[in-house]
Every structure is written in structure tokens, then in C-alpha cells.
Amino acid sequence: MAKTSEKYECMYIINPNLEEADRTALVEKFRALVEQYGTVDEMEVREKQKLAYEINYIGEGYYVLIKFTSDPSFPAELDRVLGITDGIMRSLITLRVD
């Protein structure tokens, strides 16, 4: 029997050169997208942090962690949207094992 939902974790990094209003808009955009296709279990927006390595000559970023539950087909769409959104430097979606 196929599972109807899985638990996932998505971490993405927002470019620190964006204005605060633009960063907030990105966070809300992805929260709304996850809520449209699943349930947000937990969300954490961190302050600006130093990156382990520079990305496009930028050494800092704002980390956002979203833990969510959704249909197994949704993470691919979320990854696609994160990948084409200006201001998102990196993202990673993984299956959670609670």
C-alpha cells in the first residue's frame, strides 16, 4: 500500500543582500506554498549566519528550516520553485525520520 504522506525537512538560504521586506516575502511565499500542498509542522527563520563556504562570492546568508508533511510528489515541485526563485542561494529537501 502506497503512503499518502511523508514527513520532510527543507533548509534554504536567502541572500543577505536582500532588503528585510523581500526576505520576509520569500519566507511567507514558501510557507504558503507548503501549506497549499501539505502541513507545516515546524518553521525556524534564523538570523544571518556565516556560510561554510562562499556561494557566488557571498559569505553569509539567512537560513530557513521548514519541517512539513506532504504528498511524496510535492518536494520535487518545491525544489523546482526554490531553484528558480531569485534570492535563494541554496536549498535542500530531505525525508525526515522522527
Side-chain angles (χ1 to χ4, degrees), residues 5-24:
S5 66
E6 292 277 0
K7 293 182 181 223
Y8 298 93
E9 185 172 283
C10 174
M11 172 76 75
Y12 60 93
I13 305 170
I14 300 175
N15 187 321
N17 298 326
L18 294 179
E19 297 293 326
E20 184 176 351
D22 295 332
R23 287 193 314 267
T24 301

Side-chain angles (χ1 to χ4, degrees), residues 24-47:
T24 301
L26 280 177
V27 170
E28 288 308 312
K29 170 185 176 172
F30 289 110
R31 175 196 289 272
L33 183 61
V34 169
E35 287 175 341
Q36 182 179 351
Y37 292 95
T39 306
V40 174
D41 301 326
E42 185 181 328
M43 187 163 181
E44 179 183 352
V45 181
R46 299 180 183 164
E47 292 298 315

Side-chain angles (χ1 to χ4, degrees), residues 36-77:
Q36 182 179 351
Y37 292 95
T39 306
V40 174
D41 301 326
E42 185 181 328
M43 187 163 181
E44 179 183 352
V45 181
R46 299 180 183 164
E47 292 298 315
K48 186 167 31 175
Q49 293 180 295
K50 185 171 174 27
L51 303 177
Y53 57 89
E54 289 187 351
I55 300 171
N56 298 328
Y57 305 103
I58 299 172
E60 297 178 317
Y62 290 90
Y63 285 76
V64 180
L65 173 68
I66 304 176
K67 293 182 179 181
F68 64 97
T69 304
S70 74
D71 182 271
S73 64
F74 172 65
E77 175 63 10

